[in-house]
Amino acid sequence: MSVKVCKFGGTSMADAGVIAEVKKIIESDEERRFIVVSAPGKRYSGDSKVTDLLYKCHEELKKRKNCKKSFEAVRSRFTDIAGRLNLKLDINAVLDETEERIVKENSEQFTASRGEYLSARIVAEVLGAEFIDAEKVVFFNEDGTFNGERTYREISAAVTGLKKAVFPGFYGVDPEGRVRTFSRGGSDISGAIVARAVHASLYENWTDVSGFLACDPHIVDSPKGIKTLSYKELRELSYMGANVLHSESIFPVRKANIPICIKNTFRPDDEGTTIVPTSRYIPSGNTVTGIAGKKNFTVIFIEKSLMNAEIGFIRRVLSVIEDERVAVEHIPSGIDTMSLLIESDELANYKLERILDGIKYAVEPDIIRVIENIALIATVGHGMSCSVGTSARLFNAIAAADINIKMIDQGSSELNIIVGVKNDDYERCIRAIYQEFFVNRGI
Ligand code: ADP
Ligand code: ASP
Ligand code: MG
């Protein structure tokens, strides 16, 4: 029998009512055997996510040596959930132990991980399934990278002979035995890891929207849904800000060709989005698949006559940035010009100043200029490489909305075109692109 791994996100864990729906979803398909859960998310707009409450606990712990006050809010979320579900689990005892260990470990990542731990304890009880602690089976290396080989081996051994099991997402353990977390939204990665370890036929990611939408629903009202995405398109869209799925969650499943399906816990019969290996992707005929973006980039613009003839110019510029351990997102370049696009947060603590001085010293540019508050918007789709005039349509739509494009980068894969605009123009620009490719002229 094939096996499905299901990851349920924060809104799917938010209260007892939704958890009861989650139980129905799992029990409606006997292939849904391995479950990965997030910490409870927001129940309504303005509510707090449990993970955010836990980060507050750590702040309190740093100041007062205990986290009594902040932990109360966490305690009340879980006693409410467990109380309404009529569990046998003594949730107060589990919460007491958790609070004690938070104080003892005194680590932000450990504290943050407890939302997933507690969710998984509850869901395991609700399903009558085994609880497998990620602390025992998900491993990080010394340098913080994920240790796949050991993790897949341990998960596979842990599930042997089990009919159903529940794993907490978001965390694992380092070689010193300390709990550490993935970056925010990382339960998606945990789900992909379990899917790979148990050789799942499908990785179902259950969230609060009916799949991947053509753009962020906070920006465009009810954007069109995407039926099928390739791994490559997913990577581009999620990396560029479509955070419905963590951008790193494709790596474990891609190697094993496991498709991902994004489904809506609140509308389980909706088809959702299927993400398939690029080789198995059948183009839908749409020019553009989706649009995503991120704000707050800084551009360092460099101009020097005969730059292209100066051997080693780009290497010298990049080594200045490497010395500051800063990642460069894009490097659009012309004959005598190059621009470096960097996330503004990376340049705090005088790194920008040091980089500018370093570049001036290393390559003596004619002009070096900094442009801040830039947003990047990626328009993505396999269909773009085979339809003539896509870039013209894109740029015309942006110009018609009276938005000034500060930078253009078209990757050689022709899978995407990235434009840089002012932060203030970000939402308007996404709406203009959406209008052009999804509304005005059909798709
Ligand atoms: P979960 O808690 O289930 O992991 P997330 O909040 O991480 O859920 O991701 C789902 C949210 O992602 C949606 O509620 C939606 O607001 C947001 N989102 C942003 N861009 C997109 C997109 N292109 N398609 C679908 N959802 C998107
Ligand atoms: N709870 C974690 C977060 O809020 C991880 C996750 O939900 O995927 O980031
Ligand atoms: Mg998420």
Side-chain angles (χ1 to χ4, degrees):
M1 188 174 72
S2 23
V3 172
K4 290 176 187 158
V5 168
C6 304
K7 178 259 170 178
F8 288 89
T11 35
S12 310
M13 289 292 121
D15 62 38
V18 204
I19 294 178
E21 292 305 313
V22 164
K23 176 178 158 80
K24 280 192 212 154
I25 291 171
I26 295 166
E27 291 180 348
S28 67
D29 181 347
E30 58 177 11
E31 292 183 358
R32 293 184 176 136
R33 288 177 45 205
F34 300 115
I35 315 300
V36 177
V37 295
S38 282
K42 294 182 182 181
R43 291 159 293 185
Y44 43 84
S45 96
D47 193 17
S48 301
K49 291 182 169 188
V50 164
T51 309
D52 292 324
L53 296 174
L54 287 162
Y55 283 116
K56 279 198 192 135
C57 289
H58 186 69
E59 286 307 304
E60 186 181 335
L61 185 61
K62 277 200 300 193
K63 284 191 209 125
R64 302 212 171 88
K65 304 255 181 314
N66 74 65
C67 59
K68 283 222 154 352
K69 209 161 155 250
S70 319
F71 196 72
E72 255 334 290
V74 176
R75 187 179 283 277
S76 110
R77 288 290 299 266
F78 284 105
T79 46
D80 181 64
I81 292 174
R84 285 173 204 267
L85 289 168
N86 280 325
L87 301 184
K88 272 198 251 118
L89 179 76
D90 182 352
I91 192 70
N92 276 308
V94 179
L95 286 160
D96 289 343
E97 261 170 47
T98 304
E99 190 179 341
E100 255 171 56
R101 198 169 158 207
I102 284 177
V103 176
K104 196 169 123 235
E105 300 271 343
N106 192 16
S107 127
E108 185 176 48
Q109 299 197 29
F110 175 80
T111 306
S113 73
R114 293 304 89 183
E116 273 66 16
Y117 169 81
L118 292 161
S119 274
R121 291 288 305 266
I122 289 175
V123 173
E125 179 88 13
V126 167
L127 296 173
E130 197 78 20
F131 164 77
I132 299 179
D133 198 342
E135 196 179 342
K136 302 275 172 6
V137 293
V138 176
F139 297 94
F140 289 97
N141 296 310
E142 204 101 38
D143 61 1
T145 52
F146 165 64
N147 181 340
E149 207 181 310
R150 183 160 176 215
T151 300
Y152 300 136
R153 201 173 55 233
E154 295 290 335
I155 293 179
S156 167
V159 301
T160 305
L162 296 180
K163 201 159 166 258
K164 268 200 174 96
V166 180
F167 298 78
F170 193 37
Y171 70 93
V173 69
D174 73 10
E176 261 96 69
R178 286 179 306 225
V179 164
R180 49 175 307 149
T181 57
F182 291 104
S183 55
R184 293 300 304 265
S187 299
D188 290 332
I189 308 175
S190 310
I193 289 168
V194 175
R196 165 85 177 272
V198 304
H199 305 290
S201 61
L202 183 65
Y203 169 28
E204 288 184 339
N205 190 289
W206 291 83
T207 181
D208 61 352
V209 279
S210 294
F212 227 101
L213 306 171
C215 66
D216 186 341
H218 299 107
I219 298 175
V220 169
D221 215 15
S222 312
K224 293 202 165 129
I226 302 172
K227 261 192 175 172
T228 317
L229 266 178
S230 73
Y231 284 156
K232 272 197 182 147
E233 288 173 324
L234 167 72
R235 172 84 179 131
E236 298 282 351
L237 288 166
S238 56
Y239 182 75
M240 283 302 295
N243 53 14
V244 57
L245 201 65
H246 192 294
S247 66
E248 287 164 32
S249 46
I250 85 160
F251 296 114
V253 286
R254 186 171 69 180
K255 268 248 164 81
N257 277 338
I258 301 168
I260 310 171
C261 187
I262 301 180
K263 298 276 286 175
N264 189 346
T265 303
F266 304 88
R267 296 175 60 99
D269 295 330
D270 284 0
E271 196 178 347
T273 301
T274 305
I275 299 146
V276 295
T278 310
S279 57
R280 269 195 250 152
Y281 176 76
I282 301 166
S284 60
N286 300 354
T287 309
V288 169
T289 305
I291 308 154
K294 290 199 259 194
K295 283 185 175 176
N296 299 325
F297 285 88
T298 296
V299 181
I300 301 175
F301 171 83
I302 302 165
E303 183 171 336
K304 186 170 188 189
S305 299
L306 297 173
M307 176 191 288
N308 64 332
E310 204 177 304
I311 289 170
F313 187 95
I314 294 177
R315 181 186 49 76
R316 274 177 281 144
V317 170
L318 291 182
S319 62
V320 171
I321 295 170
E322 188 181 350
D323 288 346
E324 289 294 333
R325 308 213 50 73
V326 163
V328 181
E329 218 72 20
H330 296 278
I331 315 178
S333 59
I335 307 170
D336 293 328
T337 62
M338 72 185 283
S339 299
L340 302 155
L341 270 115
I342 299 171
E343 276 195 51
S344 305
D345 279 354
E346 292 241 12
L347 295 168
N349 302 324
Y350 299 102
K351 282 195 176 174
L352 177 61
E353 289 74 3
R354 285 203 296 272
I355 285 173
L356 294 177
D357 286 346
I359 293 175
K360 282 181 203 158
Y361 181 76
V363 297
E364 298 177 352
D366 299 336
I367 297 171
I368 182 161
R369 215 172 40 227
V370 175
I371 312 161
E372 291 186 282
N373 301 318
I374 293 294
L376 295 184
I377 298 171
T379 304
V380 176
H382 285 290
M384 288 165 60
S385 58
C386 45
S387 52
V388 180
T390 309
S391 24
R393 277 177 71 187
L394 178 72
F395 303 142
N396 282 336
I398 299 173
D402 209 14
I403 294 167
N404 184 4
I405 300 179
K406 299 274 187 194
M407 178 225 82
I408 297 168
D409 195 5
Q410 175 162 24
S412 51
S413 66
E414 289 189 54
L415 184 67
N416 67 9
I417 301 176
I418 295 173
V419 294
V421 298
K422 283 199 288 197
N423 272 349
D424 290 347
D425 289 331
Y426 174 72
E427 285 84 3
R428 247 168 14 90
C429 188
I430 290 196
R431 281 187 212 114
I433 301 170
Y434 182 82
Q435 185 75 20
E436 171 64 29
F437 289 100
F438 292 88
V439 185
N440 283 357
R441 305 198 199 164
I443 39 177

